[in-house]
Amino acid sequence: MALAAKLQLRQSQSLVMTPQLMQSIRLLQFTHVELEHFIDEEIERNPLLERAEPQDDAASDQAQKIDAEPQAAADGDWFEKEAGWSAEAISEKLDTSLENLFPDDPGTSERLGPDLTAQWKSASGSGGGPSSEGLDAGDMAASAITLRDHVGEQVALAFADPAARLIAGELADGLDETGYVRVDLAEIATRLGTDAASVAKVLAVCQTFEPAGLFARDLAECLSLQLAVRDRLDPAMKALVANLELLARRDFQTLKRICGVDEEDLLDMLAEIRALDPRPGMAFSGGASDAIVADVEVRAANDGSWTVELNAETLPRVLVDHIYFAQVSPHAKNQAEKDFLAECLQNANWLTRSLDQRAKTILKVASEIVRQQDAFLVHGVRQLKPLNLRTVADAIGMHESTVSRVTANKYMLTPRGVFELRYFFTASIAASGGGDAHSSEAVRDRIKQLIDEEKPVDVLSDDAIVDMLRESGVDIARRTVAKYREGMNIPSSVQRRREKRALASAGR
C-alpha cells in the first residue's frame, strides 16, 4: 500500500468557550459579595463603566424637577428669594431654628444666650469653642477588646521579671481564637535562649488567667483548668476528663467503672462538664458573622398566589458611559487607542447584558421552585416535595448545569424563613401504598419528631421507626433511617434509653 499526502475538507460543529461566555457562566454562580467584588474590579479596569447609586438617581430626579420650573422663576425671582433668606426667614418658614440643626455655627452664639454658650464651650474643650476636628461618633464608641489585649493586661500584672514577661508574650502570641496554645514550648525555649522548665513555669501562671481555661493545650486540659477554679477537680472528675473519648461515645457503663461512681454521681459530673466552656477565647473574638442577604423574596399575594421578586440590594446597577466614549474616541491618537476604547465598550455592554440575564435567570428558576414547592410554603416541611435539577430545567427550558449554577449559594426569603435554593431539591423516597413519593427532608423531620416524642420506657429502635413510617405511607429501609438519624446527631436507641433512664432516675 502506497503512502501519500492528501488534502481533505471536513465540516464540523463545536462549542467555543469565548471569554464573554465564560464570564456569563461565572456570574451565574457568584454570590452577592463575590459579584460586588467582581464589578469593582471591572470598574477599575474599564473607564466606561460606572455604578448607578440610588443617590445619583435622586439627584437626577431633582435636577429634572428644577429644569421643569417655569423660566420666569429661574430668571430672577427664585434666586432673589434664595439669596435673601436669612436665619429668621428660615425659622419662620420651616417652624424651626438653626440652633437646633447647627449648634456649632459660630454665628449662633449670640442667639443661644450666655448660659448655653458657656455650656457648649465647656463641653467642646478648653479652647473656648468647638473643636476644629468636630465630634466623631466612631471615636466615642468603645472598641471591642481582643483576646490579645485582654491577656496582655494580665501579663503586665502577673510578671515583674522582664524575662518571664517576654516568655508570656510569646505564649500569648501563640493563642488561637479559641484560647488554646498552639505553639511548641520547646521551640519557644530555644528561640528565647532559655530552658523548657522556665517556659512551663510561666505557662502555669498564664493558665490562672481569666477566663478560666485559657492557655490550655487540649480540650482535657481546658476543662481541667475550669474545674480546678471551681474546686471540683477530684479524682473521679480527673478520670472522667481523661476519658473524653468514652464520653463522646456515651459509654456510661465504662465511665462509671473507671471513675468509681454510681449512676447518679455520673449524671452530676456530666452536668458539670456541660456547664464548662470548651472555647473560652471565643468571648473575645471580634469577627462578626456575615448576615445572609436573600437574593429572592417570596410574599403571599392577595389572590392566594405567591409574588416572587428579586432583592434590589443584591442587584448591582452598572451603567455604560456612552457620553464619555463619544467625547474620547474622536481624540484617539493611534489604532491601539481606538482598539482599546472599542474593547472597553464591548466589554461594558456585555457585562450589563450578562447582569441583566443573570437576574432574569435567577428569577425564572426561583419562580419555578415556588411553583413546585407551593405546599411547603403553605403547610411546612412535611409537605416538601421531591425535586431535582432536571425537573426545573425542563420546566423553564434551560440546561441542568445552568440551574445548578443558579441555585449555588443563593438564598430565598419566604414566610417560613430564609432557605438556600438548593434546600428545595431533595431526594425521593417511594410511598408504601404506591402513591406520591416523599421528600427526604420531610422524612427526616418525621423521624426527629418520633424520637422527640418517645418515652424513656419505650425508646424506638430503627426497626420500630421503619414500621411506623411504613404505616404512614413511607417505604424506607432501616439503613436509611440509621443514616438520617446519624446525620442529625441523634444517638442510637440503646444510648438514648440509657440517657433517658438516667435522667428519669435523677429527676426522682
Side-chain angles (χ1 to χ4, degrees):
M1 183 177 70
L3 297 178
K6 295 182 181 179
L7 292 178
Q8 293 182 353
L9 181 62
R10 294 181 180 180
Q11 184 178 7
S12 62
Q13 292 181 348
S14 62
L15 179 62
V16 179
M17 296 290 290
T18 62
Q20 290 81 3
L21 181 59
M22 295 177 62
Q23 182 188 84
S24 299
I25 294 175
R26 289 175 56 201
L27 291 179
L28 282 178
Q29 56 192 8
F30 275 167
T31 63
H32 168 60
V33 177
E34 293 173 344
L35 183 61
E36 291 290 340
H37 180 67
F38 173 78
I39 291 177
D40 290 338
E41 292 180 347
E42 289 296 319
I43 291 177
E44 290 180 0
R45 285 194 295 261
N46 196 332
L48 301 181
L49 283 175
E50 62 179 5
R51 284 186 179 271
E53 301 295 342
Q55 54 266 26
D56 295 341
D57 299 339
S60 177
D61 295 341
Q62 184 67 22
Q64 292 178 1
K65 292 179 181 180
I66 294 176
D67 292 340
E69 291 292 334
Q71 185 66 27
D75 288 340
D77 186 45
W78 188 84
F79 288 103
E80 291 175 1
K81 290 183 179 180
E82 181 186 10
W85 275 13
S86 60
E88 291 77 8
I90 294 177
S91 302
E92 180 180 357
K93 290 180 177 296
L94 301 181
D95 193 21
T96 185
S97 176
L98 287 180
E99 293 86 2
N100 298 332
L101 300 178
F102 309 104
D104 54 348
D105 186 3
T108 61
S109 301
E110 296 80 10
R111 297 188 294 272
L112 288 174
D115 296 334
L116 292 179
T117 303
Q119 295 177 10
W120 169 247
K121 290 182 179 180
S122 61
S124 302
S126 59
S131 174
S132 59
E133 292 83 7
L135 295 177
D136 187 3
D139 298 336
M140 301 173 64
S143 59
I145 300 177
T146 63
L147 177 61
R148 186 65 179 86
D149 297 336
H150 178 74
V151 171
E153 294 177 356
Q154 300 185 67
V155 167
L157 297 175
F159 299 99
D161 183 17
R165 188 177 300 176
L166 179 61
I167 297 175
E170 289 290 330
L171 292 173
D173 291 337
L175 291 177
D176 62 4
E177 61 179 4
T178 60
Y180 288 75
V181 175
R182 300 302 185 186
V183 293
D184 188 7
L185 301 185
E187 180 183 352
I188 293 179
T190 303
R191 187 168 63 251
L192 297 181
T194 183
D195 57 311
S198 300
V199 178
K201 182 179 180 180
V202 173
L203 177 62
V205 177
C206 292
Q207 289 179 344
T208 62
F209 289 173
E210 292 292 337
L214 291 179
F215 290 91
R217 286 161 287 188
D218 53 31
L219 177 60
E221 188 174 23
C222 178
L223 299 179
S224 299
L225 293 173
Q226 299 180 52
L227 291 170
V229 171
R230 302 185 181 192
D231 196 19
R232 284 292 298 123
L233 195 60
D234 51 27
M237 189 65 77
K238 288 182 179 179
L240 177 61
V241 173
N243 295 272
L244 293 177
E245 66 280 357
L246 296 177
L247 180 59
R249 296 201 303 263
R250 293 180 171 85
D251 192 354
F252 299 131
Q253 295 297 333
T254 306
L255 285 175
K256 287 192 297 183
R257 184 176 67 255
I258 294 177
C259 298
V261 296
D262 57 11
E263 190 171 351
E264 183 177 356
D265 291 335
L266 181 61
L267 288 175
D268 294 338
M269 294 166 63
L270 295 180
E272 294 183 29
I273 292 293
R274 292 191 184 97
L276 303 178
D277 186 4
R279 296 178 294 179
M282 294 300 294
F284 301 92
S285 59
S289 58
D290 296 331
I292 295 178
V293 180
D295 300 89
V296 183
E297 297 180 359
V298 179
R299 296 189 300 271
N302 296 330
D303 57 355
S305 60
W306 299 100
T307 301
V308 183
E309 297 179 352
L310 294 175
N311 186 2
E313 296 181 0
T314 62
L315 296 178
R317 303 183 61 185
V318 181
L319 299 179
V320 182
D321 196 345
H322 292 279
I323 299 177
Y324 180 70
F325 175 78
Q327 293 175 349
V328 174
S329 56
H331 302 283
K333 298 180 180 180
N334 49 45
Q335 187 63 33
E337 294 182 357
K338 294 181 180 179
D339 295 341
F340 172 75
L341 291 174
E343 183 180 359
C344 289
L345 181 62
Q346 180 182 1
N347 293 338
N349 290 330
W350 182 272
L351 178 60
T352 55
R353 288 195 299 267
S354 298
L355 292 175
D356 182 66
Q357 185 64 34
R358 176 183 182 272
K360 293 180 180 178
T361 304
I362 294 176
L363 183 61
K364 187 179 295 185
V365 172
S367 300
E368 180 62 23
I369 292 176
V370 171
R371 191 185 70 84
Q372 295 280 352
Q373 301 293 357
D374 175 74
F376 164 79
L377 298 175
V378 177
H379 303 289
V381 68
R382 294 294 177 82
Q383 298 299 323
L384 191 65
K385 297 179 181 179
L387 187 63
N388 53 40
L389 298 174
R390 182 176 295 276
T391 302
V392 175
D394 294 341
I396 62 179
M398 291 184 178
H399 196 270
E400 186 176 349
S401 62
T402 302
V403 178
S404 177
R405 292 186 178 94
V406 170
T407 56
N409 301 317
K410 308 294 189 308
Y411 293 88
M412 177 186 295
L413 175 61
T414 69
R416 296 194 172 272
V418 179
F419 300 92
E420 189 178 4
L421 292 184
R422 290 196 173 181
Y423 172 82
F424 300 98
F425 295 90
T426 58
S428 174
I429 297 179
S432 58
D436 295 336
H438 301 272
S439 168
S440 60
E441 195 67 29
V443 174
R444 285 190 182 92
D445 184 75
R446 176 60 176 161
I447 293 173
K448 185 177 184 301
Q449 182 187 19
L450 291 175
I451 294 176
D452 292 340
E453 295 176 353
E454 65 184 4
K455 299 179 181 179
V457 296
D458 188 19
V459 176
L460 299 176
S461 63
D462 292 344
D463 292 327
I465 295 176
V466 168
D467 295 336
M468 297 178 69
L469 290 177
R470 286 180 177 174
E471 291 178 1
S472 61
V474 181
D475 187 10
I476 190 172
R478 179 185 177 280
R479 62 179 180 274
T480 306
V481 172
K483 182 181 69 172
Y484 288 170
R485 175 179 54 77
E486 293 173 357
M488 294 183 289
N489 295 323
I490 299 176
S492 63
S493 59
V494 177
Q495 295 172 337
R496 298 200 309 273
R497 183 181 296 108
R498 187 181 302 154
E499 289 181 2
K500 292 188 178 183
R501 287 181 178 179
L503 292 175
S505 61
R508 293 194 299 268

